[in-house]
Amino acid sequence: MAIIMTTPDNVPRRTHLDLNLSASYFKSSVRKGNHTVDYIIDKGNCKLLLNNSPDIADHYRDSLQITCNRANRMKDYYTYLYGLPMKLKDPGTQIDPKVRKKSFKGKEYLVLKVTYDEKVGSDTWYFYFDPSNYNMEVYQFYHDESKNDGEYILLSEEITVNDIKMPKIRAWYYNKDDKYLGTDDLVKANTLN
């Protein structure tokens, strides 16, 4: 997969992802300015490259966030978000059996509330499905719902990646004030050059 992330006041970030879940392989190649950073998790082993080299000066590790901790966070982030709604079948996922009807941004949805076993996660998520076709169009999470923190993500358009239909656009906003955070645009791999 190839993703262009745009955020206010920043240069777009271009990311190429290679995922093979059955082989426990994840690779994220991120272009940051004049540099390309590769984060690789292969069967639990971490490998980091800067401009195709494993020799990375400490100041680059810090300024470009080239760490195995970040590599694992990116793996978790991308496999979760791009694996939805199928990831809701993962162990430790607690789906509230009551499907709610809720209006969001002027449209009516069927909504699933999801929490997780403590060892899996602590956030509360809501998944919004169009009742006419059951397409997931919005998801939203809270760290502490009573504080209205967290974010919501609007999904739009559609793209096919390896015969899988996926949302093309993910636009991110804060729950508390609807402030726009950024957009992930899933594009064809050859458009990143």
Side-chain angles (χ1 to χ4, degrees):
M1 296 188 293
I3 301 162
I4 298 174
M5 178 188 220
T6 54
T7 55
D9 304 321
N10 287 312
V11 175
R13 183 176 77 196
R14 293 157 164 33
T15 302
H16 183 94
L17 296 177
D18 291 312
L19 300 168
N20 185 333
L21 298 178
S22 61
S24 298
Y25 182 82
F26 169 85
K27 179 180 179 185
S28 171
S29 297
V30 183
R31 192 176 316 156
K32 295 183 177 188
N34 295 325
H35 302 288
T36 299
V37 179
D38 293 320
Y39 301 92
I40 302 165
I41 305 292
D42 189 3
K43 295 178 182 65
N45 297 310
C46 176
K47 181 177 180 182
L48 305 168
L49 302 173
L50 176 61
N51 301 323
N52 293 317
S53 172
D55 298 321
I56 305 169
D58 286 343
H59 70 279
Y60 282 124
R61 282 188 190 278
D62 295 338
S63 66
L64 297 176
Q65 300 179 18
I66 307 173
T67 67
C68 288
N69 185 39
R70 180 156 176 83
N72 279 296
R73 282 195 329 263
M74 290 176 69
K75 176 183 71 75
D76 292 346
Y77 169 84
Y78 284 118
T79 55
Y80 183 76
L81 292 182
Y82 285 93
L84 287 170
M86 294 74 64
K87 292 293 286 176
L88 297 179
K89 293 183 175 184
D90 283 0
T93 304
Q94 300 171 1
I95 300 174
D96 189 318
K98 182 179 180 185
V99 177
R100 295 167 172 83
K101 290 184 179 180
K102 184 176 176 184
S103 178
F104 189 84
K105 304 296 177 194
K107 182 174 178 177
E108 291 295 318
Y109 289 99
L110 298 174
V111 181
L112 290 178
K113 179 180 179 180
V114 176
T115 56
Y116 295 91
D117 291 348
E118 189 176 314
K119 65 181 180 178
V120 176
S122 59
D123 293 339
T124 300
W125 287 75
Y126 291 90
F127 297 91
Y128 296 72
F129 297 88
D130 183 322
S132 68
N133 58 18
Y134 303 107
N135 285 345
M136 185 173 60
E137 294 184 356
V138 181
Y139 43 83
Q140 180 177 37
F141 68 90
Y142 297 92
H143 307 299
D144 182 342
E145 197 167 351
S146 69
K147 295 180 181 176
N148 196 31
D149 63 2
E151 301 164 10
Y152 65 89
I153 300 92
L154 303 178
L155 309 173
S156 61
E157 301 183 39
E158 193 174 89
I159 190 170
T160 301
V161 178
N162 296 331
D163 298 324
I164 300 171
K165 291 181 182 179
M166 305 181 87
K168 180 176 179 2
I169 306 292
R170 284 176 165 77
W172 296 74
Y173 299 85
Y174 282 125
N175 286 324
K176 64 182 172 195
D177 59 7
D178 294 317
K179 181 180 175 185
Y180 171 70
L181 295 170
T183 299
D184 292 338
D185 185 357
L186 187 58
V187 297
K188 300 289 183 187
N190 60 1
T191 62
L192 282 184
N193 299 327

